[in-house]
Amino acid sequence: MVHKVQAVVVKEKNAPVSLETILVPDPGPGEALVDILTCGVCHTDLHYKQGAINDDYPFLLGHEATGVVAAVGPDVTEVAPGDRVVLNWRAVCGECRACRKGEPQYCFNTHNATQKMTLEDGTELTAALGIGAFAEKTLVAAGQCTKVDDDVDAAAVGLLGCGIMAGIGAAINTGEVKRGESVAVIGCGGVGIAAVAGAQLAGATTIIAVDIDAKKLELAKAQGATHVINSKEEDPVEAIRALTSGNGADVVIDAVGRPETYKQAFYARDLAGRVVLVGVPNPEMKIELPLADVFGRGGSLKSSWYGDCLPSRDFPMLVEQYKLGRLDLDAFVSERIGLGDIEEAFTKMHDGKVLRSVVVL
């Protein structure tokens, strides 16, 4: 059986998105058909639209989603019809060298659905991050479905599917923030503010948020920042050092992903501290640092892929923290919109007017 549903597609580089009827097949072996409830509008979707990921157009956009499993294919045991799930793009294979080393959070061969969704004329669609959730239904690998409680706001917990998990994980998983440590986060968009929230969850006692937008700094305070620095008005490296007894922070997270912010992160950390890059740079960007400083400052320079998360471990834990009132996921939902409002949502996101616009189906 093939399902005809409405979905948001971009057909060529930088073209406006369009609402299209697409064909979604019933699930085959290892696959799940999911009725989408909500899907956040993420920068990665904009990157697909702009051709910054690859040129496999047309793209079926959307990936930061909550849904309900409608059907599963043969041999699927992870989920069953009726399960509330958050979709993820790390369906671990269990067989690659990372999985064999016991580090499935780095799985190098994550699973996606085998069958393709198409336009009505048969044109195959490339699903964003193997998900494609700006749609009434989507087809994914069953391992891309992580069961969560269904007594929570779907729009809020769905954001764990990408950006919020990336930020929280950058602090907890990659940065390994410990109780009593100091943390600085450079860039207070959705991912950066999530890193602030992650640092608070981990027990950091000094949490410094850095941005050029006063409104974003206020949002960071609401998520646990103990200090804020407007880097338009003062040197963030010197300001971070001043707030940490002249030493620099134990962990500095670059949630922007530009050479200048990475250098700030590098020099704003304490000796033997950790730098975590979670902001995504473009392919043309380069960083130049004195090798003597890399050696002399010690510590570690890390990149955070998807917050180094393991969805089956991290999503349920974070949903529980949300239910206990320790993680305010509701604060990340700036507005709720329809499928026809995504082009405008991209503009708001690019202009820094929202943390997340969330499509509600």
Side-chain angles (χ1 to χ4, degrees), residues 47-228:
H47 291 161
Y48 273 106
K49 181 177 181 287
Q50 295 171 334
I53 306 292
N54 57 53
D55 58 358
D56 293 336
Y57 294 93
F59 290 117
L60 171 58
L61 299 180
H63 60 279
E64 225 175 43
T66 302
V68 176
V69 176
V72 297
D75 305 322
V76 171
T77 58
E78 301 100 316
V79 290
D83 286 345
R84 173 78 67 88
V85 295
V86 173
L87 300 184
N88 73 78
W89 43 276
R90 179 166 283 152
V92 299
C93 71
E95 299 171 353
C96 71
R97 59 193 185 280
C99 289
R100 289 198 304 268
K101 287 193 295 185
E103 297 181 333
Q105 72 273 21
Y106 298 128
C107 179
F108 302 140
N109 190 30
T110 58
H111 290 160
N112 298 131
T114 301
Q115 300 181 86
K116 289 287 190 178
M117 295 175 278
T118 70
L119 295 173
E120 285 190 288
D121 64 5
T123 302
E124 291 187 349
L125 293 163
T126 301
L129 291 174
I131 294 175
F134 287 152
E136 294 167 325
K137 293 180 186 287
T138 194
L139 184 73
V140 294
Q144 293 180 269
C145 300
T146 304
K147 281 182 65 174
V148 295
D149 296 340
D150 59 8
D151 59 348
V152 291
D153 182 12
V157 300
L159 300 183
L160 294 173
C162 189
I164 305 309
M165 183 69 253
I168 293 174
I172 292 177
N173 296 332
T174 316
E176 298 178 296
V177 174
K178 300 175 180 65
R179 293 187 297 276
E181 286 195 314
S182 57
V183 179
V185 178
I186 299 175
C188 292
V191 173
I193 291 179
V196 168
Q200 183 184 50
L201 275 177
T205 49
T206 300
I207 305 173
I208 304 163
V210 181
D211 204 278
I212 60 173
D213 186 326
K215 291 181 180 178
K216 290 182 179 179
L217 293 173
E218 287 302 311
L219 291 171
K221 280 186 187 178
Q223 287 291 336
T226 58
H227 304 81
V228 296

Side-chain angles (χ1 to χ4, degrees), residues 41-45 47 63-64 89 129 159-172 174 183-200 207-211 216 219-220 223 252-257 276-281 303-308 318 327 329 331-334 349 352 354-357:
V41 180
C42 176
H43 273 91
T44 304
D45 295 304
H47 291 161
H63 60 279
E64 225 175 43
W89 43 276
L129 291 174
L159 300 183
L160 294 173
C162 189
I164 305 309
M165 183 69 253
I168 293 174
I172 292 177
T174 316
V183 179
V185 178
I186 299 175
C188 292
V191 173
I193 291 179
V196 168
Q200 183 184 50
I207 305 173
I208 304 163
V210 181
D211 204 278
K216 290 182 179 179
L219 291 171
Q223 287 291 336
V252 185
I253 299 169
D254 177 4
V256 180
V276 176
L277 175 64
V278 67
V280 182
S303 297
S304 186
W305 300 343
Y306 200 6
D308 292 342
L318 291 172
L327 176 61
L329 293 176
F332 291 90
V333 181
S334 302
M349 179 180 63
V354 293
L355 287 181
R356 274 296 185 271
S357 303

Side-chain angles (χ1 to χ4, degrees), residues 232-254:
K232 279 200 305 188
E233 299 172 356
E234 56 183 323
D235 181 343
V237 175
E238 293 304 317
I240 290 168
R241 287 178 176 167
L243 292 168
T244 53
S245 303
N247 301 318
D250 296 304
V251 180
V252 185
I253 299 169
D254 177 4

